Amino acid sequence: MTLLQAENLSIEFQTPDGVVKAVNDVSFSIGAGETVALVGESGSGKSQIALSVLGLLAGNARTSGTVTYQGKNLLEMQQNELNSIRAKEIAMIFQDPMTSLNPYMTIERQLNESLEQHEGLKGAAARKRVLEAMDAVRIPDAKNRLKAYPHEFSGGMRQRIVIAMALMCSPKLILADEPTTALDVTVQAQIMALLKEIQRESDMSVLLITHDLGVVAGACEKTLVLYAGRVMEQAGTLDLFETPSHPYTRGLLRAVPNIQDAVGDLRSIAGQPPNQMVPPPGCPFAPRCENRTEQCDRELPPLVGDIRHQRACWRPVEELV
Amino acid sequence: MMPNPSTPLLRVRDLSVEFKMSNSKGWPWQKPDVVHAVNGVSFDIHAGKCLGVVGESGCGKSTLIRAVAGLVPMAAGQIEFDGKTVNTAKKSDVLNLRRSVQMIFQDPVASLNPRMTVFQIVEEPSRAFFPKRSAQEHRERVMSLLDRVGIPRRNANRYPHEFSGGQCQRVGIARALAAEPRVLLCDEPVSALDVSIQAQIVNLLRELQREMDLTLIFVAHDLGIVRHISDDVLVMYLGGMMEYGPAESVVKSPSHPYSQALLSAVPVADPRVEVVPQILDGDLPSPLDLPIGCLFETRCPKAQNICRIERPASRKIGDAQVFCSQL
């Protein structure tokens, strides 16, 4: 069953220097209990997609297309309607646990904010739920730490608090924007294991935004690869990693250093991502692509293929000799 | 003088770094708290080799290389560069050491002065260390360095904000090379960059290392990259050494329980491989109040009584030095 469906989502920003097309014609769906990954480098528009779902885009943003949740288009909702969904139905885990917590508020107040808003819980009943949530994310000695401030916790513990905050009202969908990027690998492993476990218990869906292909491989059923605000390829994770069809996906996979057998040079992708104020007329990846033809420079490739594995490329990997 | 191939270019012995905390809430007669950032680290690097330093944030890996660069004072220990002891070196030798050991920083944009052009940024060390060269010579040197790191000459008069992160890191590398160093200290040089750009920078560093016979210390938390570029790897935890040896053996078959846990947590970009991380309980102990015994004792799955009392000495396991008494 589809929980969230984005169709032809485009986001652009009006800036003094011109219009930046951050996201172009992105479509995807997330089923109940499913984990979908949005992979891309910085500037590929992956965070903006998550922000648009909850109506959190900056004031100069213009959106088009639809993001449907329970039959309603989230992009056209009024603030008060969105407020009834935020944190209750769809919650967000932000990237930086250092800045996404309020330094002036105790952990308890930050955690029970959404309970008070959505369920009207206060006092002992709210405290009980807060303690349960803190136990769920394994914050030791939760009882004595309710009155602590964010700076009294380590980075890993703060990210757990941010996750506990997102889980407070048992949402159906979590948008996790680089939830482990700021953390060490050992803590990352703890947090990803924790998310997986919570997801299994509560049949929650997750949209995982990351640039780390290792994290994707371990956690997601479906993966969308974004480049310059466009979907380059989307497929089941296993399929995508085994038979990448888009040269960009293949390049990304090759650029990841392998810890097991790493000798010789890494295979990099030459060049820089394009300027999104003046996007190239053809495929956005064409200037960096080894296989480009004249057509790639001229015409934008459509997203084609069967629904389980789609790619936007004129010369996909499997058609090369 | 021909360098003796058997003496290391850089020899570090029992290096410790401490930071005194400001004593704001205590009484004047109380001793201020001391952060033990680096505790007795020793290693050797031969010319042209690369040492990778890995560990979690707060383990002292950046402080370690800052101490090697002379940016923070040592509390104890000894550094020998090219056969000379740095602690007791003459002033002229210290200047030469400073020039010979250059650094590349983690945040490529923040580490460049926003009010200087790329040309000025790269020229500055050249002017500072080689005052006898003419303006024309400086200019030629800067341009050839920019060529080498892949910044087009026509962009030399631009400012750092006009470049992307990867390009800024190239400028940072050119600046370090302008001093004509023998050792490059790289403090997480690619962790702020995207995957496809990371590979470009790592490859550039490897090429430069080969061409100029540079010696590298490469600090990173990404074990895949460290494995790729390093000859030797040093695993640090809470400022101390856990394991030190050839990259091949430390990364492929780690012996220390901490190295094992760290490596098991590295995600593999292959959905068929199931990663089973050994999850360490708890958080890092405070560096203000170190465990008396083994530094890793509070989180170690194999800890015994002896580990709580005695700091383990180095033991040779295969080619690696391992600091654990339970092996």
Side-chain angles (χ1 to χ4, degrees):
Chain A
M1 198 191 76
T2 306
L3 187 67
L4 185 93
Q5 174 112 35
E7 263 171 285
N8 304 329
L9 173 65
S10 297
I11 304 170
E12 51 183 49
F13 293 94
Q14 315 278 343
T15 70
D17 302 323
V19 176
V20 178
K21 298 191 166 172
V23 175
N24 301 294
D25 261 335
V26 171
S27 304
F28 62 92
S29 67
I30 306 173
E34 203 177 27
T35 305
V36 176
L38 282 183
V39 185
E41 302 182 78
S42 34
S44 62
K46 53 195 193 304
S47 292
Q48 300 307 330
I49 292 175
L51 292 172
S52 75
V53 171
L54 283 177
L56 297 173
L57 289 170
N60 59 347
R62 299 273 172 283
T63 53
S64 63
T66 56
V67 179
T68 317
Y69 177 78
Q70 294 186 334
K72 284 186 182 167
N73 183 3
L74 293 173
L75 298 179
E76 285 170 357
M77 270 193 190
Q78 296 301 313
Q79 285 298 326
N80 56 353
E81 271 183 289
L82 277 170
N83 277 342
S84 68
I85 286 177
R86 289 173 180 156
K88 184 161 172 52
E89 305 274 326
I90 305 175
M92 187 140 179
I93 300 172
F94 292 94
Q95 172 170 9
D96 188 351
M98 309 294 165
T99 54
S100 55
L101 291 168
N102 185 334
Y104 290 119
M105 279 163 77
T106 61
I107 296 309
E108 182 178 17
R109 271 200 64 198
Q110 304 199 41
L111 284 168
N112 70 24
E113 230 182 351
S114 61
L115 284 179
E116 208 179 313
Q117 171 78 29
H118 291 298
E119 301 181 18
L121 281 182
K122 276 183 183 170
R127 173 162 298 178
K128 191 168 157 264
R129 288 276 293 276
V130 168
L131 284 173
E132 278 169 17
M134 286 171 81
D135 282 339
V137 296
R138 304 222 181 76
I139 295 171
D141 197 20
K143 228 178 200 144
N144 293 319
R145 307 204 76 173
L146 284 171
K147 295 287 174 231
Y149 288 87
H151 74 267
E152 297 175 60
F153 293 87
S154 67
M157 283 295 149
R158 268 183 257 191
Q159 193 59 291
R160 283 162 198 246
I161 292 165
V162 173
I163 292 176
M165 218 152 100
L167 295 172
M168 229 42 246
C169 296
S170 322
K172 297 203 175 67
L173 171 65
I174 288 218
L175 310 174
D177 187 1
E178 307 254 11
T180 57
T181 304
L183 305 174
D184 286 308
V185 280
T186 51
V187 186
Q188 169 171 293
Q190 292 173 354
I191 300 277
M192 291 312 298
L194 185 71
L195 262 179
K196 229 186 235 177
E197 195 188 305
I198 293 168
Q199 196 181 2
R200 210 170 330 145
E201 282 167 10
S202 59
D203 201 32
M204 189 176 69
S205 308
V206 176
L207 179 68
L208 182 73
I209 295 169
T210 181
H211 65 268
D212 189 333
L213 292 162
V215 172
V216 173
C220 304
E221 286 106 44
K222 205 160 81 185
T223 302
L224 273 86
V225 180
L226 291 173
Y227 185 78
R230 288 186 184 278
V231 177
M232 297 284 113
E233 185 164 4
Q234 70 172 343
T237 304
L238 195 65
D239 208 12
L240 186 92
F241 278 69
E242 272 185 358
T243 52
S245 171
H246 199 287
Y248 176 62
T249 315
R250 188 179 60 170
L252 270 188
L253 285 168
R254 282 181 177 174
V256 180
N258 184 340
I259 190 151
Q260 285 311 319
D261 41 22
V263 216
D265 280 348
L266 289 172
R267 300 179 66 164
S268 61
I269 305 174
Q272 310 283 335
N275 177 349
Q276 273 154 275
M277 212 115 46
V278 262
C283 170
F285 185 62
R288 297 175 76 184
C289 186
E290 314 172 315
N291 312 324
R292 75 162 177 279
T293 59
E294 216 188 304
Q295 187 183 24
C296 303
D297 288 328
R298 214 176 45 227
E299 272 176 81
L300 189 68
L303 197 62
V304 293
D306 90 83
I307 189 73
R308 276 167 299 152
H309 194 150
Q310 293 181 299
R311 36 119 180 113
C313 183
W314 294 121
R315 296 190 73 202
V317 172
E318 65 270 15
E319 284 172 24
L320 297 174
V321 259
Chain B
M1 192 181 74
M2 277 291 287
N4 181 347
S6 66
T7 36
L9 179 67
L10 191 66
R11 177 196 285 266
V12 172
R13 285 291 169 271
D14 294 317
L15 176 71
S16 294
V17 179
E18 291 174 355
F19 297 108
K20 288 203 172 61
M21 302 278 280
S22 65
N23 196 2
S24 58
K25 51 184 167 185
W27 300 99
W29 55 85
Q30 282 181 325
K31 274 196 183 156
D33 286 335
V34 175
V35 177
H36 301 273
V38 177
N39 303 295
V41 171
S42 305
F43 58 84
D44 290 336
I45 314 176
H46 289 272
K49 298 286 179 191
C50 175
L51 171 73
V53 183
V54 294
E56 296 173 84
S57 42
C59 75
K61 51 194 195 300
S62 293
T63 309
L64 172 71
I65 64 168
R66 275 161 196 266
V68 172
L71 296 175
V72 294
M74 292 182 269
Q78 185 175 329
I79 299 178
E80 272 175 38
F81 178 77
D82 207 8
K84 292 191 188 98
T85 307
V86 175
N87 312 44
T88 57
K90 288 183 302 215
K91 224 177 167 186
S92 57
D93 286 342
V94 170
L95 188 71
N96 190 36
L97 174 87
R98 285 264 196 280
R99 183 186 66 70
S100 305
V101 179
Q102 290 293 318
M103 202 151 161
I104 300 169
F105 297 90
Q106 174 168 13
D107 186 334
V109 185
S111 63
L112 303 177
N113 185 337
R115 304 183 68 167
M116 284 165 84
T117 64
V118 161
F119 181 85
Q120 289 168 329
I121 288 169
V122 181
E123 191 192 26
E124 198 178 25
S126 178
R127 279 186 186 278
F129 288 116
F130 307 104
K132 288 183 187 143
R133 289 185 185 165
S134 70
Q136 183 58 30
E137 279 171 320
H138 285 308
R139 191 176 171 77
E140 274 163 23
R141 176 89 187 125
V142 172
M143 288 306 181
S144 72
L145 282 170
L146 289 179
D147 285 346
R148 185 60 200 87
V149 299
I151 299 286
R153 286 183 179 216
R154 61 171 190 280
N155 292 344
N157 290 323
R158 294 196 174 186
Y159 289 89
H161 74 267
E162 300 176 70
F163 293 90
S164 67
Q167 285 174 310
C168 283
Q169 198 56 289
R170 289 171 190 272
V171 175
I173 293 171
R175 173 178 63 185
L177 294 176
E180 299 179 16
R182 297 175 64 189
V183 180
L184 265 190
L185 306 176
C186 312
D187 189 2
E188 303 252 14
V190 296
S191 55
L193 306 175
D194 282 315
V195 188
S196 71
I197 310 291
Q198 261 183 12
Q200 291 177 5
I201 299 292
V202 169
N203 288 344
L204 174 66
L205 283 170
R206 281 173 60 108
E207 285 162 30
L208 292 169
Q209 184 190 11
R210 277 193 296 261
E211 275 168 36
M212 306 182 180
D213 199 26
L214 287 171
T215 307
L216 301 185
I217 301 186
F218 194 95
V219 170
H221 63 262
D222 185 329
L223 286 144
I225 288 181
V226 168
R227 162 94 167 80
H228 216 91
I229 195 168
S230 311
D231 299 292
D232 289 333
V233 169
L234 168 63
V235 182
M236 284 179 78
Y237 179 82
L238 210 59
M241 294 170 83
M242 297 289 116
E243 188 160 352
Y244 169 51
E248 183 73 25
S249 76
V250 174
V251 177
K252 266 206 165 160
S253 49
S255 308
H256 195 286
Y258 177 67
S259 321
Q260 288 173 351
L262 187 66
L263 278 148
S264 76
V266 176
V268 179
D270 184 346
R272 284 163 303 180
V273 177
E274 202 191 343
V275 178
V276 188
Q278 277 181 40
I279 293 191
L280 295 173
D281 288 327
D283 276 325
L284 276 173
S286 160
L288 292 170
D289 186 16
L290 295 178
I292 302 161
C294 173
L295 294 166
F296 186 51
E297 157 264 304
T298 56
R299 298 169 78 190
C300 183
K302 292 185 181 158
Q304 302 295 322
N305 273 334
I306 178 92
C307 306
R308 301 193 176 95
I309 311 161
E310 217 176 82
R311 194 73 52 98
S314 149
R315 297 161 70 134
K316 198 101 180 142
I317 295 182
D319 293 326
Q321 285 178 42
V322 184
F323 294 76
C324 180
S325 52
Q326 293 304 314
L327 296 171

